[in-house]
Amino acid sequence: MRAKIRDTEIYFDVDGCGLVVEEQEIREKPVALIIHGGPGVDHTSYKPCFSPLVHHLQLVYFDHRGQGRSARGLKETYTLDNNVDDMEALRQYLGLEKIVLIGSSYGGMVALSYAVKYPQNVSHLIVIATAANSRFLKRAQEILAERGNEEQKAVALQLWSGNFENEEQLRQFFRVMGSMYSQSNEGKLNSPDSDQTILSVDAINVAFSGFLNDYNILNELHKITSPTLVIAGRHDWICAPEFSEEIAQAIPNAQLKIFENSGHLIRVDEPQLMLNEIARFLSLGHLV
């Protein structure tokens, strides 16, 4: 489905009913927006992991502007600010009130920024493997220098400079960097290098050559009023757990969970444990 909002068209997909029958009563499920990372990928690699939540939540997946199945446009508009306001416009388009936000990696940055700007619209905030300021970029380069092989260090130069030339180069980047992103060889469908993922070179180039270098929302996180769960992977190379720790310290009463056997892609390394932690936080019961 597509929503014509603001100056673009956003692809979204709704998983699960909003109203369910339980013991002769009608119950309305909370609505959660699943916010994909990248930038430059799409929402599809999130579905295999997060779909079990549909028993308790109505899930709304969507692709950021210029990415996945959403409309392309001027690449100069592929910004964090627009992603935030697109999400608010989508909330209004769908007629939603307070929403649960589940954002991973860059999606966590969008979620944090949204929760700062529109705190009244967020019932619960869950951010996974993310950061609140641009210092994560320098730290990622240091970690890659320590842990990465020569091929990985070479291919990452295109990321830091934001000069991927085509989708195949970007797909090759994710393939080469696989062992940095994940501790596991399983969960192919949960990975950004899945053949089903639609890649956007312009979106990732604009981010890493531009606005991510000036990104800093750390000093505004105190404005977030919703219950917040911050999730990190101990071996995350690009959003090291130290950045999740500072997010949890900056948001009033936030909870922090670090998964000891995960890299950046916790949804690949420890998906069931992560879902159970989310279910516990949202008081949904155990999902195993």
Side-chain angles (χ1 to χ4, degrees):
M1 293 175 279
R2 302 177 189 278
K4 292 185 177 180
I5 54 175
R6 305 183 72 229
D7 59 342
T8 190
E9 183 178 82
I10 297 296
Y11 178 90
F12 69 95
D13 199 7
V14 179
D15 193 358
C17 298
L19 298 175
V20 293
V21 179
E22 290 183 350
E23 298 180 355
Q24 306 305 312
E25 293 184 353
I26 300 293
R27 178 176 68 86
E28 184 174 2
K29 291 191 291 188
V31 179
L33 267 60
I34 310 296
I35 312 165
H36 75 78
V41 296
D42 66 12
H43 75 279
T44 55
S45 67
Y46 289 72
K47 283 186 171 179
C49 172
F50 289 100
S51 61
L53 291 173
V54 76
H55 299 295
H56 303 277
L57 305 169
Q58 188 175 42
L59 305 177
V60 178
Y61 299 90
F62 67 97
D63 293 332
H64 298 301
R65 64 167 59 208
Q67 300 170 58
R69 292 164 176 80
S70 289
R72 302 302 188 261
L74 295 175
K75 63 182 181 181
E76 292 78 14
T77 69
Y78 300 167
T79 65
L80 176 60
D81 289 341
N82 273 333
N83 292 153
V84 168
D85 287 335
D86 287 348
M87 197 161 72
E88 169 58 11
L90 180 61
R91 184 193 68 84
Q92 294 182 27
Y93 178 90
L94 295 174
L96 302 175
E97 295 184 359
K98 286 197 172 188
I99 50 179
V100 178
L101 297 183
I102 303 176
S104 179
S105 191
Y106 173 70
M109 300 176 195
V110 177
L112 289 170
S113 301
Y114 182 96
V116 165
K117 188 171 184 179
Y118 301 105
Q120 72 278 8
N121 298 335
V122 183
S123 68
H124 295 79
L125 173 64
I126 300 167
V127 291
I128 305 164
T130 194
N133 63 77
S134 62
R135 288 187 292 106
F136 81 94
L137 292 169
K138 181 180 179 182
R139 182 66 183 126
Q141 294 176 47
E142 294 172 349
I143 294 173
L144 181 58
E146 296 168 0
R147 304 182 195 166
N149 59 41
E150 293 307 312
E151 185 181 17
Q152 290 169 333
K153 295 173 186 176
V155 76
L157 294 176
Q158 293 177 296
L159 179 68
W160 310 132
S161 59
N163 66 353
F164 290 103
E165 296 177 3
N166 52 57
E167 291 183 8
E168 184 51 41
Q169 280 189 357
L170 181 52
R171 199 173 301 277
Q172 179 64 12
F173 165 81
F174 285 122
R175 288 171 181 158
V176 170
M177 296 296 291
S179 63
M180 291 294 297
Y181 276 101
S182 171
Q183 301 292 292
S184 171
N185 292 322
E186 301 178 1
K188 177 72 171 179
L189 285 178
N190 292 339
S191 302
D193 67 334
S194 165
D195 293 337
Q196 298 181 30
T197 302
I198 298 174
L199 301 177
S200 170
V201 169
D202 284 343
I204 196 168
N205 285 346
V206 166
F208 279 87
S209 68
F211 68 83
L212 283 182
N213 294 282
D214 300 315
Y215 165 66
N216 187 359
I217 201 169
L218 185 61
N219 293 333
E220 298 184 73
L221 296 183
H222 65 90
K223 298 176 183 178
I224 295 175
T225 57
S226 58
T228 300
L229 173 63
V230 184
I231 294 175
R234 177 65 68 190
H235 307 286
D236 192 341
W237 78 278
I238 195 162
C239 291
E242 62 206 64
F243 298 107
S244 289
E245 291 172 353
E246 69 179 15
I247 290 170
Q249 291 173 359
I251 298 175
N253 302 312
Q255 300 178 32
L256 174 67
K257 174 66 177 180
I258 298 179
F259 286 86
E260 298 296 333
N261 298 310
S262 286
H264 187 65
L265 297 181
I266 304 170
R267 67 182 187 271
V268 172
D269 291 333
E270 297 180 274
Q272 193 61 61
L273 291 176
M274 182 179 71
L275 288 183
N276 284 337
E277 188 65 26
I278 291 172
R280 179 204 60 77
F281 172 69
L282 295 175
S283 300
L284 303 179
H286 218 255
L287 294 180
V288 170

